[in-house]
Amino acid sequence: MDAWLAYLTASHLLERRIEEQLKADSGLTHSQYEILTRLSSAPGQRMRMTELARLVVVSKSGLTYQVGQLEKIGLVERVSCPSDERGVMAVLTGEGLRCLEKTAPGHLAVVRAFLIDHFGPDELTSMTRIMRKVASAMGAAVPPSGTSVGPGEG
Amino acid sequence: MDAWLAYLTASHLLERRIEEQLKADSGLTHSQYEILTRLSSAPGQRMRMTELARLVVVSKSGLTYQVGQLEKIGLVERVSCPSDERGVMAVLTGEGLRCLEKTAPGHLAVVRAFLIDHFGPDELTSMTRIMRKVASAMGAAVPPSGTSVGPGEG
DNA sequence: TACGGTTTGTTCAAATTTGAACCAGCCGCT
DNA sequence: AGCGGCTGGTTCAAATTTGAACAAACCGTA
């Protein structure tokens, strides 16, 4: 399982680098940055909490916490959902957008320099295709009481 | 940056799956499992704390904490280093080894089912080679006060 | 041998993350 | 309309992680 070991080490190191750069450059956490990114590309720069949590791959409570932090510093706003009384939408503020625009270049530079640039063009498309498969294989099937090893419904 | 998004999502989901399976199957955290694994393949099933922290890619204090946990449940033991008075070696106990042997198959099954099996043979060797490159690009150079984007010393 | 600079591991406070418990609001069925 | 089950978000306690501060021990040099 050399592949797994290499992958694991690389991803840990990369995560550490990203966290470090993001913190130094903008004071944001990687989670927070991901939240802003997702919001920025959503219609109306807004999204329901649950949906956002699903996309960012974080627990509901984790998202509540981070959106709270982002709200505190004015990058995100909470508005109640018109179609669903209990629902909450996280909305990217103007300041949030500016922060993202200011931060993105440095972040992407790190991602490119340390990950993307190590792939050849063909390898990059392969990796993308495969990672999409990997993600979609897990996105749906989540067995409730799960020791299960095999995919729940493939 | 579709590649990055796919990679990021897949790796988060995979991590979640692994954590879930490991917890259900053995009560271990992924960090803890990684520690045991590294120890098991070290000469004498033992390793200096700092070296272990470097391999597992975790902070020194983080390792201290987790080794403490593992010691509490008897899977790891601390012995002072003969050659360096201040040094501490983490040693895998017999029980630790048995636990690892019991847990590994299920873990590897998850890793294979959700990640490895999505690669073709050539793609897997490519990925391994690339991830090794990625890791080694970051393994050494860690600029102290670092916004820096470029690798410090290659 | 004694000294200054490094390295080692731990302790500490603070931040983050998770799952369980919980309430409020939605939806299908009667 | 009223009931029962489900979903959406938050709150809570507990676990984990990190960086900074610290004490002990190492090393090269005088």
Side-chain angles (χ1 to χ4, degrees):
Chain A
M1 281 265 155
D2 286 341
W4 174 234
L5 191 60
Y7 167 89
L8 200 53
T9 304
S11 67
H12 280 170
L13 286 169
L14 181 58
E15 181 62 28
R16 172 180 281 190
R17 277 298 171 101
I18 288 174
E19 207 75 52
E20 171 187 327
Q21 181 272 334
L22 231 33
K23 186 87 66 182
D25 225 36
S26 67
L28 291 175
T29 299
H30 193 193
S31 311
Q32 295 175 341
Y33 180 85
E34 287 190 78
I35 291 172
L36 297 183
T37 300
R38 291 296 191 164
L39 285 180
S40 78
S41 58
Q45 281 74 59
R46 70 195 54 210
M47 202 179 292
R48 288 288 293 269
M49 293 294 279
T50 298
E51 174 72 353
L52 187 51
R54 195 178 60 77
L55 289 181
V56 178
V57 188
V58 74
S59 66
K60 286 187 299 174
S61 44
L63 183 63
T64 295
Y65 176 76
Q66 285 299 2
V67 166
Q69 296 302 105
L70 289 170
E71 199 174 22
K72 223 186 289 184
I73 55 180
L75 304 186
V76 160
E77 209 173 343
R78 271 179 167 96
V79 302
S80 55
C81 179
S83 65
D84 188 338
E85 188 53 42
R86 63 216 157 126
V88 171
M89 307 205 72
V91 189
L92 190 63
T93 65
E95 192 177 348
L97 185 57
R98 278 193 297 280
C99 173
L100 197 51
E101 284 166 346
K102 177 176 71 64
T103 306
H107 172 70
L108 294 182
V110 169
V111 173
R112 271 195 218 101
F114 289 115
L115 182 69
I116 303 295
D117 287 353
H118 293 276
F119 287 80
D122 295 347
E123 294 167 339
L124 189 58
T125 54
S126 276
M127 195 272 273
T128 305
R129 180 178 48 76
I130 293 170
M131 284 303 174
R132 285 220 184 93
K133 254 201 312 177
V134 170
S136 73
M138 291 184 290
V142 181
S145 61
T147 305
S148 77
V149 164
E153 31 182 294
Chain B
M1 280 269 152
D2 286 340
W4 175 233
L5 191 60
Y7 167 89
L8 200 52
T9 304
S11 69
H12 281 169
L13 286 169
L14 182 59
E15 182 61 28
R16 171 180 284 192
R17 278 297 172 100
I18 287 173
E19 207 75 52
E20 170 188 326
Q21 182 271 333
L22 230 34
K23 187 87 67 182
D25 226 35
S26 68
L28 291 174
T29 299
H30 193 191
S31 309
Q32 295 174 340
Y33 181 85
E34 287 190 78
I35 291 171
L36 296 185
T37 300
R38 292 297 191 164
L39 286 181
S40 79
S41 58
Q45 281 74 58
R46 69 194 56 210
M47 203 179 289
R48 288 289 292 271
M49 293 294 279
T50 296
E51 173 71 353
L52 187 51
R54 194 179 59 76
L55 289 181
V56 178
V57 188
V58 74
S59 66
K60 285 186 299 173
S61 43
L63 184 64
T64 295
Y65 175 75
Q66 285 298 3
V67 166
Q69 296 301 104
L70 289 170
E71 198 175 22
K72 223 186 287 182
I73 54 179
L75 304 185
V76 160
E77 208 172 346
R78 272 179 166 96
V79 302
S80 56
C81 179
S83 65
D84 188 340
E85 189 54 43
R86 64 214 157 128
V88 171
M89 307 205 72
V91 188
L92 190 63
T93 64
E95 193 178 348
L97 184 57
R98 278 192 298 281
C99 173
L100 196 50
E101 285 168 346
K102 177 177 71 66
T103 305
H107 173 70
L108 294 181
V110 169
V111 174
R112 273 196 216 100
F114 289 115
L115 182 70
I116 303 295
D117 287 353
H118 293 275
F119 287 80
D122 295 348
E123 293 167 341
L124 190 60
T125 54
S126 276
M127 195 271 273
T128 305
R129 180 179 47 77
I130 294 169
M131 285 303 176
R132 285 223 184 89
K133 253 200 315 178
V134 170
S136 75
M138 290 183 291
V142 182
S145 61
T147 304
S148 77
V149 164
E153 37 184 288

